Structure formats: structure tokens, C-alpha cells
Amino acid sequence: IMVSEYSIGSFKKALATIDEIMKHAKTLDEKISAYMHQILCKCAQTSDYCQSVEDGIKVLQLYGYEVDAAPTMTYMKKEELKLKMVLRNRPLTCLVNLPLTKLPILKLFDTVVRQAMMSSQDDIIQVIAWKAIICALKNGMDRFFPTIVAMLAMSYARQGKLRTASKIGSISLELAEK
């Protein structure tokens, strides 16, 4: 019902359904879809993508993914180093060998990255995408993962890092073909 209400633009009814789901769901996994649609409904009502990103970051924190809403250069370097440590000197092209799996958290990452893309928050896009890559390296990828990687490439392109953007964009295309 929640998805149907959201799809037809009945955001108040969707939010009421989301409240019911939140009351009755016992685990975070049972709540993940409701959280995503809550972010989307609120944004559809207000067009405040920055607030949607903040809300998304709060939800990611519930799942154990800490993201600084105002990342400093030091924070960015630290998060990039975490990704490199998990990669263990492998190139990002190793992502194309990830097994396919159903991983709802990647849809949440995708939702938040899309909101950050709409509000031109490239640093946030990068941090969240890096965390999604780490998650995928540990657990496998699903159908939302190539989009996350593509948005990472776009954020690099907007920053003028065209060579990096091209490499990551090529990886996202290979992932999408899986």
C-alpha cells in the first residue's frame, strides 16, 4: 500500500502507512523500505533535497553507516583510505566480479545518493558511494549498485576529475550489464 500511495502522489496517505509499518515492524530490515519511502515522500512534498540527504544520513546511521553531513577534507581522506584498505590494493575494476545478491541496504544507499546528486553535494555522494562499495565488497551487489557507482563517477566529473570519472563510469556500465 505504501508504495502504491507514494506512486500515485498521495504522500500523506503513504506517510500514514509508513507510520503504521514503523509501529509494527520489529527489525531494521523490516523497516528499510519504509524509511526509504519516508525520505522520498517528504522530499516530494517539500523539494528540499538537502533535508532528504540529512534524513537519509540519519537512517544510514541506524544501520551502522556513519556519514558526516558536512565532510571536511580530513574526513574525506579518512573515508577514502577506509575504501582502499578494504580493496587491499585491488583496482576498482574488481567490482565487476562481485556476486549478485539481494541487499536492501544498497537501495537505501541509492536513495540517499540520488538525493545528494539532486542537491549537488558531491562530497556526500563520494562518502556514501565509498561506503556502499565497501558494503558490496563484503556482501555482494544488487541491481541498485551500478547506479551508485555511476553517480560516484558523475560527482567526480562535476569536480573536474575526468579521468577518474571515466574509469568509474566504465565500471558502472560493466556492472549494469551483469
Side-chain angles (χ1 to χ4, degrees), residues 123-139:
D123 290 347
I124 300 275
I125 293 166
Q126 290 173 6
V127 171
I128 293 173
W130 294 337
K131 289 185 181 288
I133 291 169
I134 291 169
C135 177
L137 284 165
K138 292 178 180 177
N139 304 298

Side-chain angles (χ1 to χ4, degrees), residues 107-166:
K107 186 172 182 184
L108 178 59
F109 278 118
D110 177 72
T111 300
V112 181
V113 166
R114 285 176 189 267
Q115 302 304 306
M117 181 65 73
M118 296 299 291
S119 58
S120 299
Q121 296 183 54
D122 291 318
D123 290 347
I124 300 275
I125 293 166
Q126 290 173 6
V127 171
I128 293 173
W130 294 337
K131 289 185 181 288
I133 291 169
I134 291 169
C135 177
L137 284 165
K138 292 178 180 177
N139 304 298
M141 63 169 258
D142 70 359
R143 63 188 178 103
F144 296 99
F145 188 63
T147 308
I148 296 167
V149 176
M151 287 187 272
L152 176 61
M154 288 187 282
S155 76
Y156 280 122
R158 288 199 309 210
Q159 293 178 342
K161 299 175 183 176
L162 301 180
R163 194 168 292 187
T164 302
S166 177

Side-chain angles (χ1 to χ4, degrees), residues 67-76 79 121-125 127:
V67 178
D68 190 334
T72 63
M73 186 61 73
T74 303
Y75 175 80
M76 296 289 295
E79 293 301 318
Q121 296 183 54
D122 291 318
D123 290 347
I124 300 275
I125 293 166
V127 171

